[in-house]
Amino acid sequence: MAHIQEGQEKEVVVPSEKATVGSPHQAGNGNMLPEDREVGAEAAHTAKVERVYKKLDRRIIPAFWVLYFLCSAIRSSVGLAQTMNTRQGHNLRQELNLTPRQVSTGLALFYVCYVIFDLPANLIMTRLSPHVWMSRIVLGVGIVGSCMAAMKAAWSFYLLRLLLGIVIAGLWPGMAYYLTLFYPPSRTGKRIGLYFTAAQVSAAVVGLVSAGFQKMDGLGGLVGFQWMFLLYGLVAIVLGVILLWWLPDRPLPPGETRSRTGWKKWIPQSPPALKGEDAVTHYHDLTRVYRRRKWTWKDFMNVLMDWRLWPLVIMYFGVVGVGIGVQNYGTVIISATNPRLTGIQLSLLFAPIWIMDLIAILLVTPLSDRFHRHRALFFSVPVCIQIAGLLVTTYAGSLQRPWARYGGLLIVGFGLGPTVPICMTWTNEIFQHRHGEVGVAAASALVSGLGNLGSILTTYALYEGWATDAKAGPRKYRRSNLVMVGILCASILASIVMTVLLRVFDRRPGAKQMSSGSSTSEAEGVMVDAAARRELQERGFGRLWWSRRR
């Protein structure tokens, strides 16, 4: 792993003393002062840096989007399989002779393995070639997904869900970690939001396409959901191989070459993400924010002991639990509000929930980057929207007038959108400055892994897993919905506590950034060099209008 050295010491500039272009402070001969020339050079350099990151976006974000789309499709299709071809007796339960409790157990087993293996998988990724590790995950998901077409009994359902949880562990936090190899923290939020839209598009498309798979029921001796798992799995296997050439390996300092000894000589070498002057520009822009070094177990323990980790876990616990609950039981909830709907109709009604989710991501995550000092606000407002949607789904309408309850699910979908990417972005932002590479890898894995205990709660203990709550009638799933409201309230409370504690401990007089590569020191009231001023202006370090300094 490359050791990135700390940048040279910069000249301190007091913001109030800087000159502006076109001001009266000009020399008598008509030439601009050095400050004016610096502003012009800085503008040109800013445009150059932006072009470099756009090149990285074109190389990385589409690959991430496609891989996350397929992995999400395979992971979540089991929810749709519960209602596909029900009238023909070919849904997941009927084909495998499963009870509701067995279905909820199989769903939960996936998240048990995910929680256990998320952290080790992400730490391994920091020691190996990240693009090879991402390819390994997608290949594994594709193989297990294809095998799910051969499930015949409860034991095979349990086994494959366990294996899927093992092979996919580290995917979501690994993607967040991978981004930090190429982008400074203030640039990651929008990009996480961009590829996270793949999960929403996947849920919507899978819902629509499952209607077509139901038309294939009986073709070649396979039922509809078996065709679904088989084809998604085969496409993922092909993609896993392509990613070895598509995704770039971790960037190196200019002039340094990559070692091709041992097992690495058998792995295809992907082209570098940037070359020549672009690579030099990217290297200097990234290293002025933080420096990356080889981590030790002492560094890892420092991450575990950091109190900032645990409010983030609680925040993630609530929103991901609700998201997975809706993803796995969305069609079941819709069916409970309107039992007259067919399997194809349920699949078609499932898709708009995730279209609403997608719209919210595209609207909110760029704003959360621009005003990133207010992550808690951009997190909590959507969570309140989720709570409102769940209450509408629980209490509005009736079995004779079910569409109001369906409207509540659309509101939940809109509220879900930005919460997970904002939570993961805030994690990277906090831990990258304080703990470097291991901080991002460990914290993102712990937040994702432990937070997915919420997924275990909603898949195993709620809805079909709560026998008395799943009884037919006007109150069906009411208590499950209210439990989800409760965990969302805990997420809001955790975000408020996090914000207050950060203000108390990280912004007290004399406090400084803990990263040796930090380019700003807000507590000292100064900014360091033009690069830091550019980040202040371009990357959202300014404040919202009601809290700007005057």
Side-chain angles (χ1 to χ4, degrees):
M1 184 179 296
H3 293 257
I4 299 178
Q5 300 299 324
E6 195 169 352
Q8 294 180 347
E9 195 173 57
K10 311 288 184 179
E11 178 186 357
V12 174
V13 179
V14 179
S16 61
E17 295 178 358
K18 68 178 183 181
T20 58
V21 178
S23 69
H25 302 6
Q26 295 185 349
N29 59 6
N31 295 328
M32 290 188 301
L33 288 174
E35 289 89 343
D36 300 313
R37 291 195 294 272
E38 180 188 346
V39 171
E42 181 184 336
H45 184 65
T46 297
K48 185 178 181 181
V49 169
E50 293 301 321
R51 287 196 297 270
V52 166
Y53 284 112
K54 286 180 180 178
K55 286 184 179 181
L56 287 174
D57 289 343
R58 290 192 291 270
R59 179 72 181 276
I60 295 172
I61 303 303
F64 268 24
W65 199 95
V66 175
L67 75 86
Y68 199 54
F69 177 95
L70 283 170
C71 290
S72 297
I74 293 171
R75 181 192 66 191
S76 62
S77 289
V78 68
L80 286 166
Q82 296 180 70
T83 55
M84 291 174 64
N85 299 114
T86 298
R87 293 186 178 179
Q88 292 82 15
H90 291 164
N91 68 26
L92 180 70
R93 255 189 243 164
Q94 295 162 335
E95 194 70 15
L96 274 61
N97 296 315
L98 301 175
T99 65
R101 171 56 72 181
Q102 288 175 317
V103 173
S104 61
T105 300
L107 292 174
L109 285 173
F110 167 87
Y111 296 104
V112 170
C113 290
Y114 193 90
V115 169
I116 294 172
F117 292 99
D118 218 20
L119 176 59
N122 223 35
L123 292 179
I124 292 172
M125 183 178 178
T126 67
R127 298 297 199 192
L128 301 179
S129 176
H131 82 294
V132 173
W133 193 250
M134 297 303 298
S135 175
R136 190 278 309 165
I137 290 175
V138 178
L139 272 170
V141 170
I143 292 170
V144 175
S146 299
C147 291
M148 292 182 77
M151 295 184 297
K152 294 297 182 184
W155 70 267
S156 58
F157 177 54
Y158 290 162
L159 175 62
L160 289 173
R161 288 291 292 179
L162 280 168
L163 290 176
L164 186 62
I166 293 171
V167 298
I168 205 174
L171 174 66
W172 174 241
M175 294 168 78
Y177 161 73
Y178 184 97
L179 279 191
T180 64
L181 300 178
F182 295 90
Y183 299 93
S186 54
R187 291 182 182 266
T188 59
K190 183 174 72 173
R191 289 161 176 90
I192 290 177
L194 284 175
Y195 68 70
F196 187 65
T197 61
Q200 284 61 48
V201 175
S202 172
V205 170
V206 166
L208 296 172
V209 173
S210 68
F213 284 124
Q214 290 180 74
K215 296 291 186 181
M216 297 172 64
D217 188 61
L219 183 65
L222 299 178
V223 301
F225 77 81
Q226 290 174 329
W227 276 112
M228 179 173 63
F229 283 122
L230 178 62
L231 293 180
Y232 285 148
L234 292 176
V235 174
I237 290 171
V238 174
L239 176 65
V241 176
I242 293 174
L243 286 175
L244 290 172
W245 287 271
W246 190 351
L247 282 175
D249 207 340
R250 69 174 75 243
L252 295 176
E256 186 172 321
T257 58
R258 203 174 305 279
S259 171
R260 297 283 294 167
T261 59
W263 62 271
K264 294 181 181 179
K265 63 183 178 182
W266 303 104
I267 301 297
Q269 187 171 8
S270 65
L274 299 167
K275 296 179 180 179
E277 188 178 351
D278 286 343
V280 174
T281 300
H282 175 252
Y283 171 79
H284 289 297
D285 191 72
L286 190 63
T287 53
R288 73 178 172 77
V289 180
Y290 81 108
R291 63 188 178 93
R292 193 167 62 246
R293 62 182 179 81
K294 194 170 183 179
W295 58 271
T296 65
W297 288 109
K298 181 181 178 181
D299 298 322
F300 174 69
M301 293 305 299
N302 288 337
V303 176
L304 291 183
M305 298 300 293
D306 194 326
W307 61 265
R308 299 165 186 84
L309 181 68
W310 307 108
L312 290 165
V313 170
I314 297 172
M315 289 166 57
Y316 198 83
F317 177 94
V319 296
V320 81
V322 172
I324 295 302
V326 173
Q327 193 174 72
N328 286 328
Y329 289 115
T331 55
V332 176
I333 296 170
I334 298 170
S335 177
T337 63
N338 190 351
R340 298 182 296 274
L341 296 172
T342 66
I344 292 178
Q345 289 173 327
L346 290 171
S347 296
L348 295 176
L349 288 170
F350 185 66
I353 298 172
W354 306 107
I355 294 174
M356 296 294 290
D357 196 307
L358 171 63
I359 292 170
I361 290 175
L362 297 177
L363 289 175
V364 177
T365 54
L367 289 174
S368 75
D369 264 6
R370 175 62 184 88
F371 304 110
H372 76 133
R373 292 189 185 278
H374 302 272
R375 297 281 190 201
L377 177 65
F378 288 100
F379 174 86
S380 298
V381 171
V383 174
C384 290
I385 293 174
Q386 291 178 57
I387 292 173
L390 284 169
L391 293 175
V392 170
T393 300
T394 304
Y395 293 108
S398 63
L399 292 177
Q400 291 73 36
R401 293 174 294 174
W403 295 110
R405 293 186 178 182
Y406 176 69
L409 282 178
L410 296 180
I411 296 172
V412 172
F414 187 86
L416 278 171
T419 52
V420 170
I422 286 175
C423 190
M424 193 57 68
T425 301
W426 206 8
T427 302
N428 289 352
E429 196 169 66
I430 290 172
F431 282 84
Q432 189 175 44
H433 281 301
R434 290 171 174 80
H435 302 283
E437 183 170 305
V438 70
V440 175
S444 59
L446 285 166
V447 169
S448 173
L450 296 177
N452 265 288
L453 292 171
S455 303
I456 297 174
L457 170 68
T458 55
T459 54
Y460 182 75
L462 303 183
Y463 297 104
E464 291 297 299
W466 192 345
T468 57
D469 196 40
K471 290 181 178 179
R475 296 178 179 272
K476 189 174 184 179
Y477 302 139
R478 176 171 291 187
R479 283 178 285 182
S480 295
N481 290 342
L482 293 178
V483 169
M484 293 212 293
V485 169
I487 63 176
L488 288 175
C489 290
S491 292
I492 294 175
L493 180 61
S495 71
I496 294 171
V497 169
M498 183 68 154
T499 302
V500 171
L501 292 180
L502 286 176
R503 289 183 180 275
V504 170
F505 291 105
D506 291 359
R507 297 187 180 184
R508 64 185 186 275
K512 296 182 180 181
Q513 293 276 8
M514 295 179 68
S515 168
S516 56
S518 174
S519 61
T520 63
S521 179
E522 182 182 353
E524 295 175 357
V526 297
M527 290 181 295
V528 184
D529 78 4
R533 291 203 306 275
R534 182 178 74 250
E535 182 159 314
L536 179 69
Q537 296 163 358
E538 301 293 335
R539 294 267 61 84
F541 278 73
R543 298 173 182 271
L544 290 171
W545 64 269
W546 60 75
S547 58
R548 287 176 184 159
R549 292 174 181 170
R550 291 177 170 83

